[in-house]
Amino acid sequence: MYDWMIVGAGFAGSVLAERLASERNERVLLIDRRPHIGGNAYDRYDDEGLLIHQYGPHIFHTNSKQIFDHLSRFTEWRFYEHRVLAEVDGMQVPIPINLDTVNKLYGLNLTSEELQDWFAARAEKVGEIKTSEDVVVSTVGRELYEKFFRGYTRKQWGLDPSELDKSVTSRVPTRTNRDDRYFTDEFQFMPKHGYTRMFEKMVSHPNIHVMTQTDYEDVRHVVPHRRVIYTGPIDEYFDFRFGKLPYRSLRFEHVTLEKPWHQPVGVVNYPQTNDYTRVTEYKHLTGQEHVKTALTYEYPSAEGDPYYPIPKPENQELFKKYERLALSTPDVWFVGRLATYRYYNMDQIVGQALATFRRINEALPQGADTADVKVMPSSAALAS
Ligand code: FAD
Ligand code: UDP
């Protein structure tokens, strides 16, 4: 009999499994319908021995020492600051847009101060910044918006930036200096031996039993358990009763080339050309030395595994309906990017899982467990 059935072995499920097993000495069944642990952060060696990310590039960055320290229990790290170039007008220039981007693209020699004025002269006045178009046109003007953001966003989301919440393009800042790092967080590292090794260490505890290739539907009525942590899509849990929540998907094309290097940085974005959005070359991320090199091309798609919740007001409203249902579902805790329908990064999911663990401790003091043993969950505790 398990104290917990945890659905999904990504960051949300694995962090919670470890906490419950080691801090509360509770028995956990951790399941995933995929043939591996790690969720979308899963990495593996390809046939040539190159470490690749099965579900696209995952770069760890955080400003939280607590989150960094927590993961440091399960991995050593390799320092890595991510850099991205965008192919625009036939040139490869830094994104986020910075001083070098503008100078190279327009053949100018502006200083940082001059660039501020240059942007100000082009920025459009927007009353209230609501959409992903507003964010960019109000900062750098329409021309750069069209070059860098409009095409990429339409491809990535199948929507115009004017239809997407401002939070999407707000992820990418604009700079007037020469800083060409994609992120400026205090902690920027890759797990030294990969994400999968880190997850293996996290879940290798005598109280945790892992079952991959196992769908919740297959075991929920079969394996006795007291409570559930559910990290899959929330609409699926409730049999889509209010309709489907839109998630954006991707198709990944993994390629190995017979040469040591393909591109100057880890990721090159293609906002104007091609059906794919970006190309990742893993050796930049992993530091691996190899005579060959491995790449991933990302093709956005409406069909396929759910990867991105789509930040739009009407989707958020639909999610709220499911969330209300979740809050009144006893003994099931909904955690993670798919269950809370938020475009969260890995560190934010770790933070969410640790916060959920604290709430579990408050709601269920140890030694005072009154929940019945059951196959179907029955009485009460929730998180969002
Ligand atoms: P997931 O990793 O999605 O795990 C959920 C798991 O639940 C899945 O493995 C799924 O198979 C399983 N599951 C679902 N339903 C069921 C069921 N019914 N039965 C059994 N199992 C089930 N974040 C960053 O910080 N940096 C990055 O560079 C970055 N890059 C990204 C690139 C891409 C292409 C994508 C898609 C995401 C990226 N992210 C990045 C975000 C990151 O992937 C997520 O924040 C993180 O993986 C979320 O963890 P999770 O546990 O919530 O969900
Ligand atoms: N974006 C863009 N052009 C770029 C990079 C990003 O238009 O060159 C927009 C696009 O809408 C994208 C969003 O900014 O989905 C967030 O970018 P990020 O790199 O954070 O996307 P992720 O890595 O999460 O896919």
Side-chain angles (χ1 to χ4, degrees):
M1 200 278 304
Y2 290 97
D3 297 300
W4 297 90
M5 162 109 55
I6 301 189
V7 182
F11 269 102
S14 300
V15 166
L16 273 160
E18 188 278 334
R19 292 288 73 201
L20 293 163
S22 61
E23 293 291 311
R24 292 172 61 96
N25 198 23
E26 290 176 329
R27 292 198 62 214
V28 176
L29 177 62
L30 176 62
I31 63 165
D32 204 297
R33 55 165 54 135
R34 288 171 167 165
H36 57 72
I37 58 172
N40 286 340
Y42 169 72
D43 55 14
R44 64 173 172 88
Y45 288 91
D46 72 4
D47 292 347
E48 303 290 346
L50 285 152
L51 186 61
I52 67 164
H53 297 184
Q54 176 90 2
Y55 305 99
H58 279 70
I59 292 110
F60 184 78
H61 56 101
T62 189
N63 280 316
S64 164
K65 184 169 182 326
Q66 186 218 351
I67 290 167
F68 181 69
D69 286 347
H70 185 75
L71 292 179
S72 302
R73 295 167 169 209
F74 312 106
T75 187
E76 295 169 59
W77 300 98
R78 165 179 194 263
F79 179 69
Y80 171 70
E81 286 183 323
H82 192 45
R83 287 181 169 77
V84 180
L85 296 172
E87 190 163 294
V88 170
D89 298 348
M91 286 175 254
Q92 293 195 343
V93 293
I95 173 94
I97 294 171
N98 71 9
L99 181 61
D100 290 323
T101 310
V102 172
N103 280 339
K104 187 163 177 192
L105 211 53
Y106 292 97
L108 297 171
N109 200 11
L110 301 175
T111 63
S112 285
E113 278 187 357
E114 288 166 342
L115 181 59
Q116 281 175 30
D117 297 340
W118 195 91
F119 282 150
R122 286 157 182 80
E124 288 184 13
K125 281 206 169 54
V126 178
E128 188 191 345
I129 296 179
K130 282 192 188 152
T131 71
S132 271
E133 176 181 305
D134 297 342
V135 174
V136 186
V137 296
S138 67
T139 313
V140 297
R142 195 153 292 272
E143 189 168 304
L144 288 176
Y145 159 73
E146 287 176 2
K147 287 184 193 298
F148 286 85
F149 287 89
R150 194 179 60 184
Y152 187 103
T153 302
R154 284 181 175 175
K155 227 183 332 187
Q156 169 72 7
W157 299 94
L159 293 168
D160 191 80
S162 60
E163 299 173 278
L164 273 172
D165 187 80
K166 64 180 178 193
S167 57
V168 176
T169 52
S170 299
R171 291 167 61 89
V172 184
T174 302
R175 306 202 179 109
T176 51
N177 59 20
R178 303 190 61 194
D179 189 348
D180 63 348
R181 294 171 305 161
Y182 207 66
F183 309 111
T184 52
D185 300 50
E186 188 176 344
F187 304 96
Q188 303 193 41
F189 294 93
M190 298 293 286
K192 192 167 175 186
H193 306 289
Y195 288 96
T196 303
R197 286 276 288 278
M198 178 178 78
F199 278 96
E200 279 167 0
K201 196 156 176 214
M202 201 182 292
V203 303
S204 71
H205 187 285
N207 288 344
I208 303 174
H209 182 61
V210 179
M211 283 175 73
T212 53
Q213 298 191 85
T214 303
D215 199 288
Y216 183 43
E217 272 312 310
D218 301 338
V219 287
R220 64 186 299 186
H221 302 298
V222 180
V223 181
H225 55 285
R226 282 200 167 96
R227 296 188 172 85
V228 176
I229 287 167
Y230 182 84
T231 77
I234 190 168
D235 54 342
E236 185 183 331
Y237 181 91
F238 292 110
D239 295 326
F240 311 102
R241 74 177 71 168
F242 301 128
K244 275 197 152 202
L245 269 171
Y247 294 90
R248 189 69 171 161
S249 193
L250 293 168
R251 181 171 66 79
F252 301 100
E253 194 176 301
H254 303 296
V255 177
T256 307
L257 300 182
E258 308 275 328
K259 58 180 183 180
W261 293 105
H262 173 69
Q263 61 191 33
V265 290
V267 168
V268 177
N269 287 356
Y270 292 88
Q272 293 175 322
T273 51
N274 301 314
D275 291 338
Y276 45 84
T277 47
R278 59 185 178 187
V279 178
T280 300
E281 183 170 28
Y282 293 104
K283 281 165 69 181
H284 293 282
L285 281 54
T286 60
Q288 203 178 353
E289 289 179 18
H290 201 291
V291 290
K292 299 185 183 177
T293 193
L295 316 175
T296 296
Y297 292 74
E298 288 173 59
Y299 293 86
S301 146
E303 309 299 323
D305 280 1
Y307 291 125
Y308 291 85
I310 304 179
K312 275 181 81 168
E314 56 265 46
N315 298 350
Q316 199 52 30
E317 264 171 45
L318 180 54
F319 166 69
K320 288 280 167 202
K321 284 188 174 178
Y322 282 113
E323 190 187 36
R324 278 195 288 279
L325 215 50
L327 287 168
S328 58
T329 303
D331 283 346
V332 186
W333 303 62
F334 292 84
V335 193
R337 176 149 144 154
L338 302 172
T340 60
Y341 202 67
R342 276 290 184 96
Y343 188 178
Y344 280 135
N345 293 326
M346 294 180 282
D347 65 318
Q348 294 170 304
I349 296 296
V350 175
Q352 194 190 45
L354 295 176
T356 303
F357 180 66
R358 287 193 291 274
R359 284 205 294 278
I360 288 172
N361 280 335
E362 283 160 21
L364 307 170
Q366 273 178 280
D369 196 340
T370 53
D372 295 336
V373 177
K374 62 189 150 301
V375 175
M376 282 287 288
S378 86
S379 72
L382 1 127
S384 62

